[in-house]
């Protein structure tokens, strides 16, 4: 009996050693893979941004810090930095902007690299700075959770409308409110972006005007009684323009609404304009109130999303890669 037990223990020990060796091999392989992926990602960041010397060290240190303290890995942080670098952000911009982008990605469930692309592109288009990325992230988090849309679709909308909105000086919050109201009527992503772009462009250029016909701007000012430009020739706040137009819209006949919508928005964006005009007071107030108190929302929702066992496991996995 002793001999049998001794043999069993020997077999068990042998199997245990085999398992341990396999585990060590797997760990070594995982370590090399993680390190290689991270270094490859950071090399891209360095090549795109032109960072040198201490800036390289700062970026690597920040990526590793984010990888060890958030749900995202250092390698994913490097991917986010790549989009920031492609947008022309310098080292300090990237160091300041990464947390806001991470909070938005975590709060929305979107891919970190995609979220970074959305934020950096839109911020550039609106003429904002990297330090505004946290606020912009909060705006997207609030708008997407208070309207029938998500961050990915809003990013697609901003791709089309942000350059025009930014050139007109419109606030990000006001544009986000318009996007949310359109989304509640089923107009989302690129359709919302092209609709808003058409509306803004037509109003600012008075598209459709002729010696015999009022254009988009003429209809707005003469038929709705809403000024697009102030006395100094500067574009008025978007929310003021839309809210005043919505009030005037209610007093028009169906025929007038149909004709004016086509003039203001253009044939393909009529439904977008009507969505803004017919938005319920409840939806408008809900979005407007939430956007006024947006700051801190992305981080708060990120914490809530991760406040569970799954979140703990995700953070542990990220921290393990850092280790």
């Amino acid at each position: 009996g002793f001999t049998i037990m001794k043999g069993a223990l020997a077999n068990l020990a042998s199997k245990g050693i085999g398992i341990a060796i396999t585990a060590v091999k797997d760990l070594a392989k995982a370590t090399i893979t993680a390190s290689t992926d991270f270094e490859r990602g950071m090399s891209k960041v360095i090549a795109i941004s032109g960072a040198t010397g201490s800036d390289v060290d700062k970026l690597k240190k920040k990526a590793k810090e984010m990888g060890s303290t958030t749900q995202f890995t250092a390698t994913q942080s490097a991917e986010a930095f790549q989009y920031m670098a492609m947008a022309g952000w310098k080292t300090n911009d990237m160091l300041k902007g990464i947390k806001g982008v991470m909070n938005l990605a975590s709060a929305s469930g979107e891919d970190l690299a995609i979220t970074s692309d959305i934020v950096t592109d839109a911020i550039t288009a609106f003429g904002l700075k990297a330090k505004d990325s946290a606020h912009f992230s909060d705006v997207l988090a609030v708008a997407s959770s208070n309207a029938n849309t998500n961050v990915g679709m809003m990013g697609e909308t901003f791709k089309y409308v942000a350059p025009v909105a930014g050139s007109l000086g419109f606030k990000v919050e006001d544009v986000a409110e318009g996007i949310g109201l359109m989304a509640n009527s089923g107009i989302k992503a690129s359709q919302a972006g092209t609709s808003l772009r058409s509306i803004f462009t037509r109003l600012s250029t008075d598209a459709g005007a002729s010696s015999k016909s009022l254009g988009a701007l003429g209809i707005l000012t003469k038929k709705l009684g809403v000024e697009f430009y102030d006395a100094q020739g500067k574009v008025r706040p978007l929310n003021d323009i839309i809210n005043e137009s919505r009030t005037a819209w209610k007093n028009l006949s169906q025929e007038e609404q149909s004709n004016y919508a086509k003039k203001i928005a253009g044939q393909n964006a009529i439904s977008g304009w009507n969505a803004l005009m017919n938005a319920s007071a409840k939806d408008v107030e809900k979005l407007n109130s939430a956007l006024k108190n947006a700051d801190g929302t992305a981080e708060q929702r990120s914490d809530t999303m991760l406040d569970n066992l799954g979140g703990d496991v995700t953070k542990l996995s990220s921290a393990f890669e850092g280790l």
Side-chain angles (χ1 to χ4, degrees):
F2 177 75
T3 302
I4 295 173
M5 183 179 291
K6 184 178 178 182
L9 288 172
N11 288 336
L12 184 61
S14 176
K15 288 181 180 178
I17 291 170
I19 292 170
I21 291 172
T22 300
V24 170
K25 287 181 179 178
D26 289 345
L27 177 60
K29 182 181 178 181
T31 301
I32 293 170
T33 299
S35 179
T36 301
D37 289 346
F38 173 70
E39 290 298 335
R40 185 183 293 116
M42 288 307 303
S43 292
K44 290 181 181 179
V45 175
I46 294 164
I48 296 168
S49 67
T52 57
S54 62
D55 283 348
V56 172
D57 295 334
K58 289 177 183 177
L59 288 170
K60 286 187 174 182
K61 181 180 179 181
K62 189 68 173 180
K64 291 177 181 178
E65 175 194 332
M66 294 292 98
S68 297
T69 59
T70 73
Q71 74 173 99
F72 299 106
T73 65
T75 302
Q76 289 173 315
S77 300
E79 291 176 355
F81 277 152
Q82 288 173 34
Y83 284 100
M84 294 178 182
M86 285 189 285
W89 288 22
K90 299 305 179 185
T91 297
N92 286 336
D93 294 332
M94 290 190 271
L95 296 176
K96 292 175 183 176
I98 187 68
K99 186 176 181 181
V101 171
M102 281 188 164
N103 283 333
L104 179 60
S106 178
S108 64
E110 293 286 345
D111 177 82
L112 177 59
I114 291 174
T115 304
S116 179
D117 191 28
I118 291 171
V119 173
T120 51
D121 282 355
I123 279 181
T124 300
F126 274 98
L128 301 173
K129 305 296 182 184
K131 63 182 177 63
D132 299 312
S133 61
H135 175 67
F136 182 78
S137 296
D138 289 332
V139 167
L140 261 65
V142 164
S144 61
S145 61
N146 284 277
N148 190 17
T149 187
N150 60 44
V151 169
M153 287 191 284
M154 289 191 73
E156 188 70 13
T157 302
F158 275 116
K159 183 189 300 183
Y160 292 91
V161 72
V164 176
S167 69
L168 294 173
F170 289 149
K171 291 170 58 178
V172 169
E173 294 90 336
D174 289 0
V175 177
E177 183 175 323
I179 293 173
L181 294 176
M182 281 190 174
N184 287 342
S185 292
I187 302 166
K188 309 175 186 182
S190 59
Q191 184 186 2
T194 54
S195 292
L196 283 171
R197 182 178 64 185
S198 176
I199 291 166
F200 296 164
T201 301
R202 291 179 66 82
L203 285 173
S204 61
T205 60
D206 198 17
S210 69
S211 58
K212 298 180 180 179
S213 176
L214 290 172
L217 183 62
I219 291 292
L220 186 78
T221 57
K222 293 181 171 58
K223 299 298 183 180
L224 302 186
V226 177
E227 296 298 331
F228 189 77
Y229 297 99
D230 63 20
Q232 287 72 45
K234 181 180 178 182
V235 180
R236 298 176 63 225
L238 176 60
N239 269 3
D240 289 349
I241 295 168
I242 297 300
N243 290 338
E244 290 171 18
S245 297
R246 188 181 295 118
T247 299
W249 202 254
K250 292 179 173 59
N251 297 319
L252 301 177
S253 67
Q254 286 187 330
E255 182 181 6
E256 287 173 325
Q257 289 179 353
S258 178
N259 291 333
Y260 296 169
K262 184 176 180 179
K263 274 286 189 178
I264 291 173
Q267 183 64 47
N268 295 325
I270 291 175
S271 58
W273 174 259
N274 285 334
L276 294 176
M277 294 300 98
N278 297 322
S280 70
K282 182 180 179 181
D283 282 353
V284 173
E285 176 55 30
K286 178 184 177 183
L287 258 176
N288 186 262
S289 178
L291 286 165
K292 285 180 179 176
N293 300 286
D295 288 343
T297 300
E299 183 171 14
Q300 179 185 0
R301 291 193 177 151
S302 171
D303 291 342
T304 301
M305 291 278 285
L306 294 171
D307 188 19
N308 51 62
L309 179 59
D312 291 340
V313 171
T314 299
K315 287 185 286 186
L316 178 61
S317 175
S318 179
F320 184 73
E321 192 213 63
L323 176 64

